Amino acid sequence: QLQLVESGGGLVQPGGSLRLSCAASGASSDYYTIAWFRQAPGKEREGTSCSSEFGSSANYADSVKGRFTISRDNVNNMVYLQMNALKPEDTGVYYCAAVHLTARRMCMPSQGPGSVYEYDVWGQGTQVTVSS
């Protein structure tokens, strides 16, 4: 069974950068769409980015487009989220999520990360705080 563990969160000043990591284990993540969601206090969890199976495509929410980059290291079963030009609005708990390609085809061209209900494997989350 695929398992996900996030790391790399912390405190960063506005305009700064942070890189989050998602370590997959138990199965190869190659056959899964991987997405990064975030949740601010009192808010619903929202998708920020996604990477389709084998990393063949990537899509982003409008709020992070041009600032965030999702990437994969398939050999080491890792997924990363590089976050640049961070804003206070980016503050929240960031989650790595996955869904197998045989269950759902996600992150198609011109599509966003999708809904939380479309993913069935989740990490524990890592806190990102953007503040001066």
Side-chain angles (χ1 to χ4, degrees):
Q1 296 181 0
L2 183 72
Q3 294 180 313
L4 304 174
V5 178
E6 304 96 333
S7 63
L11 176 65
V12 63
Q13 293 186 340
S17 297
L18 206 60
R19 190 189 194 195
L20 305 182
S21 298
C22 176
S25 62
S28 173
S29 59
D30 290 356
Y31 306 103
Y32 292 79
T33 294
I34 307 295
W36 285 95
F37 285 76
R38 67 185 181 188
Q39 188 167 20
K43 303 293 185 180
E44 293 185 346
R45 195 170 299 183
E46 63 175 352
T48 68
S49 58
C50 62
S51 174
S52 65
E53 66 272 14
F54 302 101
S56 57
S57 65
N59 293 308
Y60 302 89
D62 289 340
S63 59
V64 307
K65 195 171 298 182
R67 300 188 297 120
F68 289 14
T69 303
I70 189 169
S71 61
R72 294 195 187 214
D73 179 350
N74 294 323
V75 172
N76 293 292
N77 224 10
M78 297 287 293
V79 183
Y80 303 99
L81 183 66
Q82 179 67 45
M83 305 184 294
N84 299 324
L86 284 163
K87 307 174 182 179
E89 307 93 89
D90 296 319
T91 294
V93 178
Y94 281 69
Y95 299 88
C96 183
V99 61
H100 200 276
L101 64 87
T102 59
R104 293 180 184 272
R105 295 295 303 276
M106 301 294 298
C107 208
M108 295 179 291
S110 302
Q111 300 296 310
S115 168
V116 296
Y117 304 108
E118 296 173 302
Y119 296 83
D120 51 25
V121 182
W122 292 83
Q124 83 290 346
T126 184
Q127 176 71 44
V128 173
T129 303
V130 184
S131 176
S132 59

